Amino acid sequence: EGGEVLGLIWKTLEEKYKETVVTCWAMWIPLQTVTFSVVPHHLRAVFVCSCNLVWNILLDTIAHKEEGETEPTATATAEEKRMEK
């Protein structure tokens, strides 16, 4: 059972690592530039925490995206349920 888990982890890394890293760079490099150049010192923690919420949503979206799917949406899920009926 431990080997299966490690295999699943490795497969997930191979499939999603590049997309996750590129998304990370695309989000955090500009946000940190804005944080330290525009956002007032006393609001930086609030700004970064808000951005972190968005980052966690992006990570969850990437982690749960099916192979070949562009972006999971609630609309697509509702349409799939209607088609099953």
Side-chain angles (χ1 to χ4, degrees), residues 23-35:
T23 305
C24 178
W25 292 340
M27 179 174 168
W28 284 108
I29 292 172
L31 283 176
Q32 291 297 0
T33 302
V34 169
T35 299

Side-chain angles (χ1 to χ4, degrees), residues 15-62:
E15 292 173 356
K16 302 187 185 215
Y17 179 77
K18 183 178 178 183
E19 180 182 9
T20 303
V21 169
V22 170
T23 305
C24 178
W25 292 340
M27 179 174 168
W28 284 108
I29 292 172
L31 283 176
Q32 291 297 0
T33 302
V34 169
T35 299
F36 292 108
S37 64
V38 178
V39 178
H41 180 71
H42 67 283
L43 296 175
R44 287 181 183 165
V46 174
F47 178 74
V48 172
C49 286
S50 300
C51 295
N52 203 12
L53 174 64
V54 173
W55 173 242
N56 283 321
I57 292 168
L58 286 172
L59 280 179
D60 186 59
T61 301
I62 292 169

